[in-house]
Amino acid sequence: MTRFDVIVIGGGPAGERAAIHAARLGKRAALVERDRVVGGTGVNWGAIPSKTLRESALFVRSLTDRKLEGVPCGIQGELTIADFMYRERAVVARELEYINKSLDRHAVELYTGHARLVDAHTVAVTSDGQERLRLTAELIVIATGTRPNRPAEIDFDGEVVFDSASILRLPRMPRSLVVLGAGVIGVEYASIFAALGIQVTLVDTRPQLLPYLDQEISGILERELKKLRVVILHDDHYAQVTKRPGPPPAVVIETRQGNHLEADALLYCVGRDGNSDGMGLAELGVQVSDRGLIQVNESFQTALPNVYAVGDVIGYPALASTAMEQGRQAIRHAFGVSGPRGRMAVLPFAIYAIPEVGTIGATEQELIAEGTDYVVGHGLYRRNPRGQIIGDPGGVLKLIFSRPELRLLGAHLVGSQASELIHIGQAFFYAGATADEIAETLYNYPTLSDLYRHAALEALGRAGRLQYS
């Protein structure tokens, strides 16, 4: 039995931040990670890999569809899966090196294996089905994350049928791809592969693409996806998935709406389940949902006051940024340490599709439902010199202001660099800025940031406060 002040289970963004923050407070911290590497889904199979692939796809597209006028360019030969995945693996390797160095620098002791709570203070670590050691601590933080949902009736063979983790191990570059599930992950991967010139069909189980987005922004995103030649089937589900022998092998999908789809590969990404099974939580009275998500209070405590849970395993919002902050806040609360608290009531949100989406605050449909009076202003990429320079005429910034004071209620973007530009909207939103203040803010020229001035000016004009052009 080895004694620590803190045992953190799970080495993703939430667990890493919790362990390091505890170490900075002078606590002896242990980190138990089931996989061979730390970093969790975000580094190994999720955010970092998919966003790196997105940049690679944009580069390929810039050499094919989006050629600059008068600049001849192209790709010699056929793009292979090894070519496409090379940079992703290099970026992931560098990020893992940084995380390991950080854990070493803060003297966090790392253990590999599956963690199970024996009691409220004891964790058994097993590997290959055998218990290897036990750790004990006053505080336990569960940060085990989530995994892709895998229906039993679908054979995820790693040859033609994949989930969002195994898609990174594609054996060959497909000529066609069906994506089942049009959530954030499905939309991102559909646009990435479409940008490579691959024929993509996106099957959306809902009647509207990403319905929690502002409807105007969602509509523009769908329009831009269709420009990439993505075929979108709304309000449909798979009925049967079968494999057709090769060579080369293929996958056949029959849908409930009667669509017959055949492709070289299938990506299934409908939902994620919490990694809480086999941890002995129910036996100790910790409440877990049927999706494996752990229930916590506002301080991230479970039913056992000294056992906390943070990150994706507790559900919404399931973002790396909030997971890190939850890890820090859990440690501070457990040890009674004050410190800055990141705002998590209203969060910036990004979708790294092609094009990107960024959003914060109220949508237009939410304000209509609430009966709130508002005015809207737009900044159009096609009227912005920087938007013309980078060749993105379809992008839009939408700002929503309250009447009559014209205070910012929501900012929504679709277009290049939306995931970065939304943080300007976040700063204005948190500051309670008005349309006048946003319009009078100075921006470098030419920049996409200047879209905020144009959107604010249009809103002022629509509110009858000034003439605008």
mmCIF file of all heavy atoms in Angstrom, residues 351-369:
data_model
loop_
_atom_site.group_PDB
_atom_site.id
_atom_site.type_symbol
_atom_site.label_atom_id
_atom_site.label_comp_id
_atom_site.label_asym_id
_atom_site.label_seq_id
_atom_site.Cartn_x
_atom_site.Cartn_y
_atom_site.Cartn_z
ATOM 1 N N ILE A 351 -16.611 24.571 -33.352
ATOM 2 C CA ILE A 351 -16.684 23.359 -34.162
ATOM 3 C C ILE A 351 -15.624 23.507 -35.240
ATOM 4 O O ILE A 351 -15.653 24.462 -36.022
ATOM 5 C CB ILE A 351 -18.076 23.179 -34.787
ATOM 6 C CG1 ILE A 351 -19.137 23.081 -33.683
ATOM 7 C CG2 ILE A 351 -18.116 21.935 -35.677
ATOM 8 C CD1 ILE A 351 -20.555 23.070 -34.213
ATOM 9 N N TYR A 352 -14.685 22.562 -35.277
ATOM 10 C CA TYR A 352 -13.549 22.670 -36.200
ATOM 11 C C TYR A 352 -13.848 21.954 -37.506
ATOM 12 O O TYR A 352 -13.095 21.100 -37.953
ATOM 13 C CB TYR A 352 -12.294 22.110 -35.532
ATOM 14 C CG TYR A 352 -11.850 22.918 -34.334
ATOM 15 C CD1 TYR A 352 -12.414 22.709 -33.084
ATOM 16 C CD2 TYR A 352 -10.884 23.910 -34.457
ATOM 17 C CE1 TYR A 352 -12.018 23.457 -31.984
ATOM 18 C CE2 TYR A 352 -10.475 24.662 -33.364
ATOM 19 C CZ TYR A 352 -11.062 24.424 -32.129
ATOM 20 O OH TYR A 352 -10.675 25.170 -31.039
ATOM 21 N N ALA A 353 -14.965 22.336 -38.092
ATOM 22 C CA ALA A 353 -15.313 21.829 -39.412
ATOM 23 C C ALA A 353 -14.639 22.711 -40.455
ATOM 24 O O ALA A 353 -13.858 23.609 -40.149
ATOM 25 C CB ALA A 353 -16.829 21.819 -39.589
ATOM 26 N N ILE A 354 -14.927 22.429 -41.700
ATOM 27 C CA ILE A 354 -14.505 23.305 -42.797
ATOM 28 C C ILE A 354 -15.786 23.804 -43.455
ATOM 29 O O ILE A 354 -16.426 23.058 -44.187
ATOM 30 C CB ILE A 354 -13.622 22.557 -43.822
ATOM 31 C CG1 ILE A 354 -12.373 22.004 -43.127
ATOM 32 C CG2 ILE A 354 -13.238 23.471 -44.982
ATOM 33 C CD1 ILE A 354 -11.514 21.131 -44.030
ATOM 34 N N PRO A 355 -16.230 25.035 -43.120
ATOM 35 C CA PRO A 355 -15.562 26.063 -42.325
ATOM 36 C C PRO A 355 -15.797 25.877 -40.819
ATOM 37 O O PRO A 355 -16.655 25.112 -40.396
ATOM 38 C CB PRO A 355 -16.238 27.348 -42.803
ATOM 39 C CG PRO A 355 -17.637 26.899 -43.102
ATOM 40 C CD PRO A 355 -17.496 25.514 -43.689
ATOM 41 N N GLU A 356 -15.005 26.615 -40.012
ATOM 42 C CA GLU A 356 -15.150 26.565 -38.566
ATOM 43 C C GLU A 356 -16.414 27.299 -38.117
ATOM 44 O O GLU A 356 -16.929 28.170 -38.819
ATOM 45 C CB GLU A 356 -13.949 27.242 -37.891
ATOM 46 C CG GLU A 356 -12.638 26.510 -38.041
ATOM 47 C CD GLU A 356 -11.502 27.212 -37.320
ATOM 48 O OE1 GLU A 356 -11.761 28.199 -36.597
ATOM 49 O OE2 GLU A 356 -10.351 26.780 -37.474
ATOM 50 N N VAL A 357 -16.861 26.943 -36.912
ATOM 51 C CA VAL A 357 -17.974 27.636 -36.270
ATOM 52 C C VAL A 357 -17.521 28.044 -34.874
ATOM 53 O O VAL A 357 -16.841 27.278 -34.181
ATOM 54 C CB VAL A 357 -19.222 26.742 -36.168
ATOM 55 C CG1 VAL A 357 -20.312 27.423 -35.345
ATOM 56 C CG2 VAL A 357 -19.750 26.387 -37.550
ATOM 57 N N GLY A 358 -17.868 29.254 -34.460
ATOM 58 C CA GLY A 358 -17.623 29.718 -33.105
ATOM 59 C C GLY A 358 -18.870 30.387 -32.573
ATOM 60 O O GLY A 358 -19.560 31.103 -33.318
ATOM 61 N N THR A 359 -19.196 30.160 -31.304
ATOM 62 C CA THR A 359 -20.432 30.722 -30.774
ATOM 63 C C THR A 359 -20.325 30.950 -29.275
ATOM 64 O O THR A 359 -19.649 30.204 -28.569
ATOM 65 C CB THR A 359 -21.626 29.782 -31.087
ATOM 66 O OG1 THR A 359 -22.820 30.322 -30.528
ATOM 67 C CG2 THR A 359 -21.394 28.388 -30.522
ATOM 68 N N ILE A 360 -20.997 31.996 -28.805
ATOM 69 C CA ILE A 360 -21.135 32.246 -27.377
ATOM 70 C C ILE A 360 -22.420 33.042 -27.156
ATOM 71 O O ILE A 360 -22.779 33.900 -27.964
ATOM 72 C CB ILE A 360 -19.927 33.004 -26.779
ATOM 73 C CG1 ILE A 360 -20.024 33.045 -25.256
ATOM 74 C CG2 ILE A 360 -19.781 34.395 -27.369
ATOM 75 C CD1 ILE A 360 -18.777 33.551 -24.558
ATOM 76 N N GLY A 361 -23.111 32.727 -26.078
ATOM 77 C CA GLY A 361 -24.301 33.487 -25.723
ATOM 78 C C GLY A 361 -25.562 33.002 -26.405
ATOM 79 O O GLY A 361 -25.633 31.902 -26.955
ATOM 80 N N ALA A 362 -26.577 33.856 -26.394
ATOM 81 C CA ALA A 362 -27.915 33.486 -26.851
ATOM 82 C C ALA A 362 -27.992 33.395 -28.372
ATOM 83 O O ALA A 362 -27.344 34.152 -29.097
ATOM 84 C CB ALA A 362 -28.932 34.500 -26.335
ATOM 85 N N THR A 363 -28.805 32.459 -28.833
ATOM 86 C CA THR A 363 -29.126 32.365 -30.251
ATOM 87 C C THR A 363 -30.402 33.155 -30.527
ATOM 88 O O THR A 363 -31.169 33.483 -29.609
ATOM 89 C CB THR A 363 -29.339 30.907 -30.678
ATOM 90 O OG1 THR A 363 -30.502 30.380 -29.998
ATOM 91 C CG2 THR A 363 -28.133 30.051 -30.325
ATOM 92 N N GLU A 364 -30.650 33.417 -31.797
ATOM 93 C CA GLU A 364 -31.844 34.189 -32.162
ATOM 94 C C GLU A 364 -33.113 33.427 -31.784
ATOM 95 O O GLU A 364 -34.073 34.013 -31.271
ATOM 96 C CB GLU A 364 -31.815 34.506 -33.659
ATOM 97 C CG GLU A 364 -32.847 35.534 -34.063
ATOM 98 C CD GLU A 364 -32.659 36.046 -35.484
ATOM 99 O OE1 GLU A 364 -31.662 35.654 -36.144
ATOM 100 O OE2 GLU A 364 -33.499 36.836 -35.932
ATOM 101 N N GLN A 365 -33.130 32.103 -32.006
ATOM 102 C CA GLN A 365 -34.340 31.338 -31.687
ATOM 103 C C GLN A 365 -34.603 31.303 -30.182
ATOM 104 O O GLN A 365 -35.763 31.262 -29.746
ATOM 105 C CB GLN A 365 -34.274 29.924 -32.269
ATOM 106 C CG GLN A 365 -33.134 29.051 -31.818
ATOM 107 C CD GLN A 365 -31.963 29.067 -32.776
ATOM 108 O OE1 GLN A 365 -31.735 30.065 -33.465
ATOM 109 N NE2 GLN A 365 -31.221 27.972 -32.832
ATOM 110 N N GLU A 366 -33.533 31.316 -29.364
ATOM 111 C CA GLU A 366 -33.728 31.353 -27.915
ATOM 112 C C GLU A 366 -34.369 32.661 -27.477
ATOM 113 O O GLU A 366 -35.267 32.675 -26.618
ATOM 114 C CB GLU A 366 -32.382 31.164 -27.202
ATOM 115 C CG GLU A 366 -31.827 29.755 -27.291
ATOM 116 C CD GLU A 366 -30.413 29.650 -26.754
ATOM 117 O OE1 GLU A 366 -29.746 30.702 -26.590
ATOM 118 O OE2 GLU A 366 -29.962 28.519 -26.516
ATOM 119 N N LEU A 367 -33.938 33.768 -28.066
ATOM 120 C CA LEU A 367 -34.496 35.066 -27.701
ATOM 121 C C LEU A 367 -35.945 35.190 -28.148
ATOM 122 O O LEU A 367 -36.771 35.791 -27.444
ATOM 123 C CB LEU A 367 -33.644 36.184 -28.314
ATOM 124 C CG LEU A 367 -32.204 36.262 -27.787
ATOM 125 C CD1 LEU A 367 -31.438 37.355 -28.522
ATOM 126 C CD2 LEU A 367 -32.178 36.509 -26.285
ATOM 127 N N ILE A 368 -36.267 34.623 -29.298
ATOM 128 C CA ILE A 368 -37.655 34.634 -29.767
ATOM 129 C C ILE A 368 -38.531 33.861 -28.798
ATOM 130 O O ILE A 368 -39.630 34.294 -28.422
ATOM 131 C CB ILE A 368 -37.742 34.047 -31.188
ATOM 132 C CG1 ILE A 368 -37.065 34.981 -32.194
ATOM 133 C CG2 ILE A 368 -39.203 33.806 -31.586
ATOM 134 C CD1 ILE A 368 -36.933 34.404 -33.592
ATOM 135 N N ALA A 369 -38.049 32.688 -28.358
ATOM 136 C CA ALA A 369 -38.812 31.863 -27.418
ATOM 137 C C ALA A 369 -39.019 32.573 -26.083
ATOM 138 O O ALA A 369 -40.059 32.411 -25.438
ATOM 139 C CB ALA A 369 -38.107 30.525 -27.205
#
